[in-house]
PDB file of all heavy atoms in Angstrom:
ATOM      1  N   LEU A   1     102.187 106.082  87.803  1.00  0.00           N
ATOM      2  CA  LEU A   1     102.659 107.433  87.527  1.00  0.00           C
ATOM      3  C   LEU A   1     104.032 107.731  88.116  1.00  0.00           C
ATOM      4  O   LEU A   1     104.491 108.878  88.065  1.00  0.00           O
ATOM      5  CB  LEU A   1     101.644 108.458  88.058  1.00  0.00           C
ATOM      6  CG  LEU A   1     100.255 108.377  87.428  1.00  0.00           C
ATOM      7  CD1 LEU A   1      99.320 109.369  88.095  1.00  0.00           C
ATOM      8  CD2 LEU A   1     100.326 108.611  85.938  1.00  0.00           C
ATOM      9  N   ASP A   2     104.672 106.716  88.643  1.00  0.00           N
ATOM     10  CA  ASP A   2     105.970 106.912  89.292  1.00  0.00           C
ATOM     11  C   ASP A   2     107.012 107.510  88.345  1.00  0.00           C
ATOM     12  O   ASP A   2     107.789 108.376  88.739  1.00  0.00           O
ATOM     13  CB  ASP A   2     106.475 105.577  89.855  1.00  0.00           C
ATOM     14  CG  ASP A   2     107.753 105.726  90.627  1.00  0.00           C
ATOM     15  OD1 ASP A   2     107.853 106.689  91.416  1.00  0.00           O
ATOM     16  OD2 ASP A   2     108.668 104.898  90.435  1.00  0.00           O
ATOM     17  N   GLN A   3     107.022 107.084  87.093  1.00  0.00           N
ATOM     18  CA  GLN A   3     108.021 107.544  86.122  1.00  0.00           C
ATOM     19  C   GLN A   3     107.574 108.758  85.311  1.00  0.00           C
ATOM     20  O   GLN A   3     108.324 109.257  84.483  1.00  0.00           O
ATOM     21  CB  GLN A   3     108.383 106.398  85.163  1.00  0.00           C
ATOM     22  CG  GLN A   3     108.961 105.176  85.846  1.00  0.00           C
ATOM     23  CD  GLN A   3     110.250 105.494  86.582  1.00  0.00           C
ATOM     24  OE1 GLN A   3     111.111 106.194  86.062  1.00  0.00           O
ATOM     25  NE2 GLN A   3     110.381 104.997  87.800  1.00  0.00           N
ATOM     26  N   VAL A   4     106.350 109.233  85.553  1.00  0.00           N
ATOM     27  CA  VAL A   4     105.839 110.391  84.820  1.00  0.00           C
ATOM     28  C   VAL A   4     106.285 111.665  85.546  1.00  0.00           C
ATOM     29  O   VAL A   4     106.058 111.808  86.745  1.00  0.00           O
ATOM     30  CB  VAL A   4     104.296 110.349  84.733  1.00  0.00           C
ATOM     31  CG1 VAL A   4     103.756 111.575  84.008  1.00  0.00           C
ATOM     32  CG2 VAL A   4     103.839 109.075  84.049  1.00  0.00           C
ATOM     33  N   PRO A   5     106.920 112.593  84.835  1.00  0.00           N
ATOM     34  CA  PRO A   5     107.360 113.834  85.482  1.00  0.00           C
ATOM     35  C   PRO A   5     106.177 114.649  86.015  1.00  0.00           C
ATOM     36  O   PRO A   5     105.106 114.689  85.410  1.00  0.00           O
ATOM     37  CB  PRO A   5     108.073 114.601  84.375  1.00  0.00           C
ATOM     38  CG  PRO A   5     108.305 113.628  83.283  1.00  0.00           C
ATOM     39  CD  PRO A   5     107.296 112.539  83.430  1.00  0.00           C
ATOM     40  N   GLN A   6     106.396 115.300  87.142  1.00  0.00           N
ATOM     41  CA  GLN A   6     105.373 116.132  87.768  1.00  0.00           C
ATOM     42  C   GLN A   6     104.892 117.216  86.805  1.00  0.00           C
ATOM     43  O   GLN A   6     103.704 117.496  86.721  1.00  0.00           O
ATOM     44  CB  GLN A   6     105.952 116.774  89.037  1.00  0.00           C
ATOM     45  CG  GLN A   6     105.039 117.715  89.743  1.00  0.00           C
ATOM     46  CD  GLN A   6     104.093 117.034  90.693  1.00  0.00           C
ATOM     47  OE1 GLN A   6     104.247 115.859  90.976  1.00  0.00           O
ATOM     48  NE2 GLN A   6     103.128 117.770  91.176  1.00  0.00           N
ATOM     49  N   SER A   7     105.812 117.807  86.041  1.00  0.00           N
ATOM     50  CA  SER A   7     105.437 118.876  85.113  1.00  0.00           C
ATOM     51  C   SER A   7     104.481 118.371  84.031  1.00  0.00           C
ATOM     52  O   SER A   7     103.591 119.098  83.598  1.00  0.00           O
ATOM     53  CB  SER A   7     106.677 119.494  84.478  1.00  0.00           C
ATOM     54  OG  SER A   7     107.392 118.524  83.752  1.00  0.00           O
ATOM     55  N   GLN A   8     104.649 117.133  83.612  1.00  0.00           N
ATOM     56  CA  GLN A   8     103.760 116.576  82.587  1.00  0.00           C
ATOM     57  C   GLN A   8     102.351 116.380  83.160  1.00  0.00           C
ATOM     58  O   GLN A   8     101.358 116.637  82.472  1.00  0.00           O
ATOM     59  CB  GLN A   8     104.321 115.256  82.069  1.00  0.00           C
ATOM     60  CG  GLN A   8     103.582 114.714  80.880  1.00  0.00           C
ATOM     61  CD  GLN A   8     104.275 113.501  80.275  1.00  0.00           C
ATOM     62  OE1 GLN A   8     105.346 113.102  80.715  1.00  0.00           O
ATOM     63  NE2 GLN A   8     103.649 112.922  79.281  1.00  0.00           N
ATOM     64  N   LEU A   9     102.266 115.952  84.414  1.00  0.00           N
ATOM     65  CA  LEU A   9     100.953 115.791  85.046  1.00  0.00           C
ATOM     66  C   LEU A   9     100.276 117.150  85.250  1.00  0.00           C
ATOM     67  O   LEU A   9      99.061 117.274  85.092  1.00  0.00           O
ATOM     68  CB  LEU A   9     101.095 115.071  86.385  1.00  0.00           C
ATOM     69  CG  LEU A   9     101.471 113.588  86.296  1.00  0.00           C
ATOM     70  CD1 LEU A   9     101.724 113.029  87.681  1.00  0.00           C
ATOM     71  CD2 LEU A   9     100.387 112.797  85.583  1.00  0.00           C
ATOM     72  N   GLU A  10     101.065 118.165  85.594  1.00  0.00           N
ATOM     73  CA  GLU A  10     100.511 119.507  85.751  1.00  0.00           C
ATOM     74  C   GLU A  10      99.955 120.010  84.423  1.00  0.00           C
ATOM     75  O   GLU A  10      98.874 120.604  84.369  1.00  0.00           O
ATOM     76  CB  GLU A  10     101.576 120.467  86.270  1.00  0.00           C
ATOM     77  CG  GLU A  10     101.972 120.214  87.702  1.00  0.00           C
ATOM     78  CD  GLU A  10     103.126 121.083  88.154  1.00  0.00           C
ATOM     79  OE1 GLU A  10     103.387 122.132  87.519  1.00  0.00           O
ATOM     80  OE2 GLU A  10     103.767 120.714  89.148  1.00  0.00           O
ATOM     81  N   LYS A  11     100.697 119.785  83.352  1.00  0.00           N
ATOM     82  CA  LYS A  11     100.257 120.215  82.026  1.00  0.00           C
ATOM     83  C   LYS A  11      98.962 119.497  81.632  1.00  0.00           C
ATOM     84  O   LYS A  11      98.027 120.124  81.136  1.00  0.00           O
ATOM     85  CB  LYS A  11     101.359 119.917  81.014  1.00  0.00           C
ATOM     86  CG  LYS A  11     101.146 120.523  79.658  1.00  0.00           C
ATOM     87  CD  LYS A  11     102.372 120.306  78.790  1.00  0.00           C
ATOM     88  CE  LYS A  11     102.271 121.014  77.471  1.00  0.00           C
ATOM     89  NZ  LYS A  11     103.475 120.855  76.658  1.00  0.00           N
ATOM     90  N   LEU A  12      98.900 118.205  81.896  1.00  0.00           N
ATOM     91  CA  LEU A  12      97.691 117.438  81.605  1.00  0.00           C
ATOM     92  C   LEU A  12      96.508 117.978  82.402  1.00  0.00           C
ATOM     93  O   LEU A  12      95.402 118.130  81.871  1.00  0.00           O
ATOM     94  CB  LEU A  12      97.916 115.957  81.933  1.00  0.00           C
ATOM     95  CG  LEU A  12      96.716 115.036  81.773  1.00  0.00           C
ATOM     96  CD1 LEU A  12      96.272 114.993  80.321  1.00  0.00           C
ATOM     97  CD2 LEU A  12      97.050 113.645  82.279  1.00  0.00           C
ATOM     98  N   HIS A  13      96.738 118.301  83.648  1.00  0.00           N
ATOM     99  CA  HIS A  13      95.663 118.828  84.487  1.00  0.00           C
ATOM    100  C   HIS A  13      95.153 120.174  83.959  1.00  0.00           C
ATOM    101  O   HIS A  13      93.945 120.421  83.930  1.00  0.00           O
ATOM    102  CB  HIS A  13      96.150 118.971  85.932  1.00  0.00           C
ATOM    103  CG  HIS A  13      95.064 119.341  86.873  1.00  0.00           C
ATOM    104  ND1 HIS A  13      94.735 120.641  87.126  1.00  0.00           N
ATOM    105  CD2 HIS A  13      94.208 118.580  87.590  1.00  0.00           C
ATOM    106  CE1 HIS A  13      93.736 120.675  87.984  1.00  0.00           C
ATOM    107  NE2 HIS A  13      93.392 119.446  88.283  1.00  0.00           N
ATOM    108  N   VAL A  14      96.053 121.032  83.524  1.00  0.00           N
ATOM    109  CA  VAL A  14      95.650 122.330  82.974  1.00  0.00           C
ATOM    110  C   VAL A  14      94.822 122.131  81.711  1.00  0.00           C
ATOM    111  O   VAL A  14      93.784 122.775  81.529  1.00  0.00           O
ATOM    112  CB  VAL A  14      96.886 123.204  82.680  1.00  0.00           C
ATOM    113  CG1 VAL A  14      96.511 124.425  81.857  1.00  0.00           C
ATOM    114  CG2 VAL A  14      97.558 123.621  83.964  1.00  0.00           C
ATOM    115  N   ILE A  15      95.257 121.227  80.849  1.00  0.00           N
ATOM    116  CA  ILE A  15      94.527 120.976  79.598  1.00  0.00           C
ATOM    117  C   ILE A  15      93.136 120.428  79.890  1.00  0.00           C
ATOM    118  O   ILE A  15      92.142 120.867  79.302  1.00  0.00           O
ATOM    119  CB  ILE A  15      95.335 120.025  78.690  1.00  0.00           C
ATOM    120  CG1 ILE A  15      96.595 120.743  78.182  1.00  0.00           C
ATOM    121  CG2 ILE A  15      94.491 119.522  77.531  1.00  0.00           C
ATOM    122  CD1 ILE A  15      97.583 119.848  77.473  1.00  0.00           C
ATOM    123  N   LEU A  16      93.044 119.497  80.828  1.00  0.00           N
ATOM    124  CA  LEU A  16      91.737 118.932  81.176  1.00  0.00           C
ATOM    125  C   LEU A  16      90.835 119.980  81.827  1.00  0.00           C
ATOM    126  O   LEU A  16      89.642 120.058  81.526  1.00  0.00           O
ATOM    127  CB  LEU A  16      91.914 117.734  82.122  1.00  0.00           C
ATOM    128  CG  LEU A  16      92.516 116.489  81.491  1.00  0.00           C
ATOM    129  CD1 LEU A  16      92.804 115.440  82.557  1.00  0.00           C
ATOM    130  CD2 LEU A  16      91.594 115.928  80.425  1.00  0.00           C
ATOM    131  N   ARG A  17      91.390 120.789  82.714  1.00  0.00           N
ATOM    132  CA  ARG A  17      90.608 121.835  83.371  1.00  0.00           C
ATOM    133  C   ARG A  17      90.088 122.836  82.337  1.00  0.00           C
ATOM    134  O   ARG A  17      88.914 123.214  82.354  1.00  0.00           O
ATOM    135  CB  ARG A  17      91.455 122.546  84.416  1.00  0.00           C
ATOM    136  CG  ARG A  17      90.666 123.598  85.194  1.00  0.00           C
ATOM    137  CD  ARG A  17      91.540 124.522  85.957  1.00  0.00           C
ATOM    138  NE  ARG A  17      92.379 125.264  85.013  1.00  0.00           N
ATOM    139  CZ  ARG A  17      93.458 125.933  85.348  1.00  0.00           C
ATOM    140  NH1 ARG A  17      93.858 125.959  86.596  1.00  0.00           N
ATOM    141  NH2 ARG A  17      94.166 126.579  84.454  1.00  0.00           N
ATOM    142  N   ASP A  18      90.958 123.248  81.415  1.00  0.00           N
ATOM    143  CA  ASP A  18      90.545 124.185  80.374  1.00  0.00           C
ATOM    144  C   ASP A  18      89.467 123.579  79.484  1.00  0.00           C
ATOM    145  O   ASP A  18      88.519 124.267  79.089  1.00  0.00           O
ATOM    146  CB  ASP A  18      91.749 124.612  79.525  1.00  0.00           C
ATOM    147  CG  ASP A  18      92.662 125.576  80.254  1.00  0.00           C
ATOM    148  OD1 ASP A  18      92.310 126.024  81.374  1.00  0.00           O
ATOM    149  OD2 ASP A  18      93.735 125.891  79.703  1.00  0.00           O
ATOM    150  N   HIS A  19      89.608 122.299  79.166  1.00  0.00           N
ATOM    151  CA  HIS A  19      88.606 121.619  78.337  1.00  0.00           C
ATOM    152  C   HIS A  19      87.238 121.631  79.024  1.00  0.00           C
ATOM    153  O   HIS A  19      86.211 121.886  78.384  1.00  0.00           O
ATOM    154  CB  HIS A  19      89.041 120.187  78.046  1.00  0.00           C
ATOM    155  CG  HIS A  19      88.026 119.403  77.273  1.00  0.00           C
ATOM    156  ND1 HIS A  19      87.766 119.630  75.944  1.00  0.00           N
ATOM    157  CD2 HIS A  19      87.191 118.411  77.659  1.00  0.00           C
ATOM    158  CE1 HIS A  19      86.811 118.806  75.535  1.00  0.00           C
ATOM    159  NE2 HIS A  19      86.447 118.057  76.567  1.00  0.00           N
ATOM    160  N   MET A  20      87.241 121.383  80.333  1.00  0.00           N
ATOM    161  CA  MET A  20      85.990 121.380  81.082  1.00  0.00           C
ATOM    162  C   MET A  20      85.368 122.775  81.147  1.00  0.00           C
ATOM    163  O   MET A  20      84.155 122.912  81.315  1.00  0.00           O
ATOM    164  CB  MET A  20      86.219 120.828  82.485  1.00  0.00           C
ATOM    165  CG  MET A  20      86.523 119.346  82.488  1.00  0.00           C
ATOM    166  SD  MET A  20      86.906 118.711  84.121  1.00  0.00           S
ATOM    167  CE  MET A  20      85.369 118.975  84.956  1.00  0.00           C
ATOM    168  N   GLN A  21      86.178 123.807  80.978  1.00  0.00           N
ATOM    169  CA  GLN A  21      85.679 125.179  80.990  1.00  0.00           C
ATOM    170  C   GLN A  21      85.349 125.679  79.587  1.00  0.00           C
ATOM    171  O   GLN A  21      85.015 126.846  79.402  1.00  0.00           O
ATOM    172  CB  GLN A  21      86.698 126.106  81.657  1.00  0.00           C
ATOM    173  CG  GLN A  21      86.880 125.809  83.129  1.00  0.00           C
ATOM    174  CD  GLN A  21      87.963 126.667  83.770  1.00  0.00           C
ATOM    175  OE1 GLN A  21      88.703 127.371  83.088  1.00  0.00           O
ATOM    176  NE2 GLN A  21      88.051 126.589  85.081  1.00  0.00           N
ATOM    177  N   GLY A  22      85.483 124.790  78.576  1.00  0.00           N
ATOM    178  CA  GLY A  22      85.087 125.130  77.219  1.00  0.00           C
ATOM    179  C   GLY A  22      86.184 125.702  76.342  1.00  0.00           C
ATOM    180  O   GLY A  22      85.908 126.160  75.238  1.00  0.00           O
ATOM    181  N   TYR A  23      87.418 125.705  76.808  1.00  0.00           N
ATOM    182  CA  TYR A  23      88.522 126.228  75.997  1.00  0.00           C
ATOM    183  C   TYR A  23      89.027 125.170  75.030  1.00  0.00           C
ATOM    184  O   TYR A  23      88.913 123.974  75.272  1.00  0.00           O
ATOM    185  CB  TYR A  23      89.685 126.681  76.891  1.00  0.00           C
ATOM    186  CG  TYR A  23      89.360 127.867  77.745  1.00  0.00           C
ATOM    187  CD1 TYR A  23      89.250 127.735  79.120  1.00  0.00           C
ATOM    188  CD2 TYR A  23      89.164 129.125  77.185  1.00  0.00           C
ATOM    189  CE1 TYR A  23      88.952 128.825  79.924  1.00  0.00           C
ATOM    190  CE2 TYR A  23      88.869 130.220  77.977  1.00  0.00           C
ATOM    191  CZ  TYR A  23      88.763 130.059  79.347  1.00  0.00           C
ATOM    192  OH  TYR A  23      88.470 131.131  80.128  1.00  0.00           O
ATOM    193  N   THR A  24      89.613 125.620  73.932  1.00  0.00           N
ATOM    194  CA  THR A  24      90.159 124.698  72.939  1.00  0.00           C
ATOM    195  C   THR A  24      91.541 124.219  73.374  1.00  0.00           C
ATOM    196  O   THR A  24      92.170 124.804  74.257  1.00  0.00           O
ATOM    197  CB  THR A  24      90.303 125.397  71.575  1.00  0.00           C
ATOM    198  OG1 THR A  24      91.265 126.460  71.711  1.00  0.00           O
ATOM    199  CG2 THR A  24      88.978 125.941  71.080  1.00  0.00           C
ATOM    200  N   MET A  25      92.002 123.189  72.703  1.00  0.00           N
ATOM    201  CA  MET A  25      93.343 122.654  72.969  1.00  0.00           C
ATOM    202  C   MET A  25      94.401 123.702  72.625  1.00  0.00           C
ATOM    203  O   MET A  25      95.392 123.845  73.347  1.00  0.00           O
ATOM    204  CB  MET A  25      93.577 121.382  72.145  1.00  0.00           C
ATOM    205  CG  MET A  25      94.959 120.800  72.279  1.00  0.00           C
ATOM    206  SD  MET A  25      95.258 120.029  73.856  1.00  0.00           S
ATOM    207  CE  MET A  25      94.540 118.457  73.555  1.00  0.00           C
ATOM    208  N   GLU A  26      94.179 124.450  71.541  1.00  0.00           N
ATOM    209  CA  GLU A  26      95.128 125.487  71.143  1.00  0.00           C
ATOM    210  C   GLU A  26      95.264 126.553  72.230  1.00  0.00           C
ATOM    211  O   GLU A  26      96.359 127.023  72.517  1.00  0.00           O
ATOM    212  CB  GLU A  26      94.700 126.141  69.816  1.00  0.00           C
ATOM    213  CG  GLU A  26      94.835 125.241  68.609  1.00  0.00           C
ATOM    214  CD  GLU A  26      93.707 124.211  68.512  1.00  0.00           C
ATOM    215  OE1 GLU A  26      92.611 124.428  69.085  1.00  0.00           O
ATOM    216  OE2 GLU A  26      93.925 123.173  67.868  1.00  0.00           O
ATOM    217  N   HIS A  27      94.140 126.922  72.832  1.00  0.00           N
ATOM    218  CA  HIS A  27      94.169 127.904  73.922  1.00  0.00           C
ATOM    219  C   HIS A  27      94.990 127.378  75.098  1.00  0.00           C
ATOM    220  O   HIS A  27      95.807 128.100  75.667  1.00  0.00           O
ATOM    221  CB  HIS A  27      92.738 128.221  74.373  1.00  0.00           C
ATOM    222  CG  HIS A  27      92.689 129.122  75.567  1.00  0.00           C
ATOM    223  ND1 HIS A  27      92.695 128.635  76.856  1.00  0.00           N
ATOM    224  CD2 HIS A  27      92.659 130.471  75.666  1.00  0.00           C
ATOM    225  CE1 HIS A  27      92.661 129.654  77.699  1.00  0.00           C
ATOM    226  NE2 HIS A  27      92.635 130.772  77.008  1.00  0.00           N
ATOM    227  N   SER A  28      94.776 126.126  75.457  1.00  0.00           N
ATOM    228  CA  SER A  28      95.502 125.535  76.580  1.00  0.00           C
ATOM    229  C   SER A  28      96.995 125.460  76.296  1.00  0.00           C
ATOM    230  O   SER A  28      97.810 125.792  77.154  1.00  0.00           O
ATOM    231  CB  SER A  28      94.973 124.128  76.876  1.00  0.00           C
ATOM    232  OG  SER A  28      93.621 124.187  77.249  1.00  0.00           O
ATOM    233  N   LEU A  29      97.352 125.023  75.100  1.00  0.00           N
ATOM    234  CA  LEU A  29      98.768 124.894  74.766  1.00  0.00           C
ATOM    235  C   LEU A  29      99.445 126.255  74.649  1.00  0.00           C
ATOM    236  O   LEU A  29     100.625 126.385  74.962  1.00  0.00           O
ATOM    237  CB  LEU A  29      98.933 124.096  73.468  1.00  0.00           C
ATOM    238  CG  LEU A  29      98.508 122.629  73.553  1.00  0.00           C
ATOM    239  CD1 LEU A  29      98.633 121.963  72.191  1.00  0.00           C
ATOM    240  CD2 LEU A  29      99.303 121.878  74.601  1.00  0.00           C
ATOM    241  N   ALA A  30      98.697 127.272  74.230  1.00  0.00           N
ATOM    242  CA  ALA A  30      99.273 128.616  74.134  1.00  0.00           C
ATOM    243  C   ALA A  30      99.671 129.139  75.508  1.00  0.00           C
ATOM    244  O   ALA A  30     100.613 129.924  75.632  1.00  0.00           O
ATOM    245  CB  ALA A  30      98.284 129.562  73.475  1.00  0.00           C
ATOM    246  N   SER A  31      98.987 128.691  76.550  1.00  0.00           N
ATOM    247  CA  SER A  31      99.325 129.163  77.893  1.00  0.00           C
ATOM    248  C   SER A  31     100.668 128.612  78.365  1.00  0.00           C
ATOM    249  O   SER A  31     101.218 129.093  79.352  1.00  0.00           O
ATOM    250  CB  SER A  31      98.226 128.778  78.886  1.00  0.00           C
ATOM    251  OG  SER A  31      98.223 127.389  79.134  1.00  0.00           O
ATOM    252  N   PHE A  32     101.209 127.619  77.674  1.00  0.00           N
ATOM    253  CA  PHE A  32     102.506 127.042  78.055  1.00  0.00           C
ATOM    254  C   PHE A  32     103.666 127.674  77.293  1.00  0.00           C
ATOM    255  O   PHE A  32     104.810 127.418  77.604  1.00  0.00           O
ATOM    256  CB  PHE A  32     102.516 125.525  77.809  1.00  0.00           C
ATOM    257  CG  PHE A  32     101.579 124.791  78.719  1.00  0.00           C
ATOM    258  CD1 PHE A  32     100.363 124.338  78.253  1.00  0.00           C
ATOM    259  CD2 PHE A  32     101.914 124.569  80.036  1.00  0.00           C
ATOM    260  CE1 PHE A  32      99.498 123.664  79.086  1.00  0.00           C
ATOM    261  CE2 PHE A  32     101.050 123.902  80.884  1.00  0.00           C
ATOM    262  CZ  PHE A  32      99.837 123.447  80.401  1.00  0.00           C
ATOM    263  N   ARG A  33     103.360 128.493  76.293  1.00  0.00           N
ATOM    264  CA  ARG A  33     104.418 129.144  75.519  1.00  0.00           C
ATOM    265  C   ARG A  33     104.848 130.427  76.210  1.00  0.00           C
ATOM    266  O   ARG A  33     104.033 131.146  76.772  1.00  0.00           O
ATOM    267  CB  ARG A  33     103.928 129.460  74.114  1.00  0.00           C
ATOM    268  CG  ARG A  33     103.689 128.213  73.292  1.00  0.00           C
ATOM    269  CD  ARG A  33     103.403 128.548  71.836  1.00  0.00           C
ATOM    270  NE  ARG A  33     102.733 127.419  71.228  1.00  0.00           N
ATOM    271  CZ  ARG A  33     101.421 127.340  71.025  1.00  0.00           C
ATOM    272  NH1 ARG A  33     100.641 128.350  71.326  1.00  0.00           N
ATOM    273  NH2 ARG A  33     100.888 126.274  70.484  1.00  0.00           N
ATOM    274  N   LEU A  34     106.136 130.708  76.139  1.00  0.00           N
ATOM    275  CA  LEU A  34     106.645 131.945  76.708  1.00  0.00           C
ATOM    276  C   LEU A  34     106.620 133.033  75.654  1.00  0.00           C
ATOM    277  O   LEU A  34     107.187 132.873  74.578  1.00  0.00           O
ATOM    278  CB  LEU A  34     108.077 131.750  77.219  1.00  0.00           C
ATOM    279  CG  LEU A  34     108.228 130.871  78.444  1.00  0.00           C
ATOM    280  CD1 LEU A  34     109.702 130.645  78.757  1.00  0.00           C
ATOM    281  CD2 LEU A  34     107.530 131.495  79.626  1.00  0.00           C
ATOM    282  N   ASP A  35     105.949 134.114  75.958  1.00  0.00           N
ATOM    283  CA  ASP A  35     105.865 135.261  75.068  1.00  0.00           C
ATOM    284  C   ASP A  35     106.633 136.402  75.719  1.00  0.00           C
ATOM    285  O   ASP A  35     106.240 136.885  76.790  1.00  0.00           O
ATOM    286  CB  ASP A  35     104.407 135.653  74.854  1.00  0.00           C
ATOM    287  CG  ASP A  35     104.240 136.864  73.957  1.00  0.00           C
ATOM    288  OD1 ASP A  35     105.246 137.319  73.368  1.00  0.00           O
ATOM    289  OD2 ASP A  35     103.098 137.344  73.834  1.00  0.00           O
TER     290      ASP A  35
END
């Protein structure tokens, strides 16, 4: 993981955490968009 950006790992962690809580991928990705 040396060459993987920290922000990408954080995003992956959020998606996995949301998945474990029953949220869809669309829900997780929407949390990364700026409204």
Side-chain angles (χ1 to χ4, degrees):
L1 299 176
D2 184 43
Q3 300 299 316
V4 178
Q6 177 85 11
S7 61
Q8 188 172 357
L9 290 174
E10 290 174 20
K11 190 173 186 178
L12 176 63
H13 187 271
V14 168
I15 291 170
L16 289 173
R17 183 195 63 196
D18 286 353
H19 176 72
M20 290 176 64
Q21 294 176 351
Y23 293 111
T24 64
M25 176 72 83
E26 290 77 23
H27 175 271
S28 298
L29 294 176
S31 71
F32 293 103
R33 292 189 200 100
L34 290 174
D35 179 8

